[in-house]
Amino acid sequence: MSSPDRSDPTATARPRTARAPGGGRAPDRRTLIADTAIATVATAGLRGLTHRAVDAAAGLPAGSTSYYFRTRTALIGACYHRLAELDTADYEDVGRDGALDGAGPGAPDRDAVAGMLAALLLHWLTTGRERQLARYELSLEAARNPELDAELHQAGAGARRQTADLLAALGSPRPREAAELLVAWADGLLYDRLAGATARSRPAPDPAELRAVARRMLDAALAD
């Protein structure tokens, strides 16, 4: 790995090089640190998130994490932005894998969009499970720390814009309002099945059931 950029000793910005799941360039050091911090939160909770723990888990020299992210607040902010990058990459991967195939360029239909939403939910309930658990822990921290509140909302704005664009293409007269509802419902479903009352009692995620639920949520969000 390259040595830190000494011309930017106070940098606490979000990771500069995102890596989409499944391929792409190796992450730069800021991205590596953010990814490792997210994994640390998923396994050890926020109590386990220290600069020293991230250095050790990432295999970096002691002091590397605090060099790039001076404070714990800055490190958590980097996690928010990295989570948003990874969510966007998931969205793009689902589109490339064919969830919207057959809908025509720029003209998706409800079945195609419901299929995409179901594929995202399935991924986040299985392969991406730990990342979602970390996101819930990190979101609660923003509720307690005003410095982080704006960071969290800024990081989540992209997903809502993407959702609003899709709903507008489906003919929603109020796509921003509909997007807020749809994102909230999807978030609630994920939380309930990963950490809520049904987390231990439900069977493994079923793609057909998730597709049916996704279609119901989508129809409700688009209802006048």
Side-chain angles (χ1 to χ4, degrees):
M1 291 183 182
S2 61
S3 60
D5 179 2
R6 297 295 174 183
S7 66
D8 188 17
T10 62
T12 57
R14 72 197 67 176
R16 293 176 296 179
T17 303
R19 179 178 58 176
R25 294 180 297 172
D28 67 9
R29 192 164 287 193
R30 285 182 175 84
T31 304
L32 172 63
I33 289 169
D35 285 342
T36 306
I38 291 167
T40 299
V41 172
T43 56
L46 278 168
R47 290 185 179 181
L49 182 63
T50 66
H51 289 76
R52 182 178 297 179
V54 174
D55 285 341
L60 294 174
S64 297
T65 298
S66 61
Y67 177 87
Y68 288 103
F69 304 103
R70 296 289 189 181
T71 65
R72 193 167 184 269
T73 295
L75 181 59
I76 292 173
C79 291
Y80 292 154
H81 291 290
R82 180 57 174 158
L83 287 168
E85 288 176 343
L86 292 169
D87 284 349
T88 298
D90 288 342
Y91 177 95
E92 293 171 353
D93 284 347
V94 166
R96 279 196 300 267
D97 289 344
L100 295 179
D101 284 356
D109 61 26
R110 291 195 187 193
D111 283 338
V113 175
M116 185 185 72
L117 177 56
L120 286 171
L121 291 171
L122 180 64
H123 172 65
W124 290 335
L125 287 168
T126 54
T127 308
R129 177 180 181 275
E130 286 196 352
R131 194 207 314 166
Q132 298 307 310
L133 291 173
R135 185 165 63 87
Y136 292 126
E137 292 246 17
L138 291 161
S139 297
L140 287 173
E141 185 67 12
R144 307 182 189 102
N145 185 340
E147 289 184 68
L148 288 167
D149 187 63
E151 291 269 8
L152 176 65
H153 287 285
Q154 180 185 350
R160 285 165 172 77
R161 282 194 299 269
Q162 289 176 312
T163 305
D165 289 344
L166 265 181
L167 296 177
L170 290 172
S172 172
R174 294 182 298 278
R176 290 181 62 185
E177 294 176 27
E180 291 286 346
L181 286 173
L182 188 57
V183 171
W185 289 332
D187 236 2
L189 183 147
L190 286 170
Y191 180 84
D192 189 57
R193 299 193 183 188
L194 289 173
T198 65
R200 300 291 180 269
S201 61
R202 289 192 64 88
D206 174 40
E209 184 257 350
L210 286 175
R211 191 179 185 105
V213 170
R215 179 57 191 262
R216 290 173 64 189
M217 291 193 298
L218 183 61
D219 288 343
L222 290 168
D224 188 354

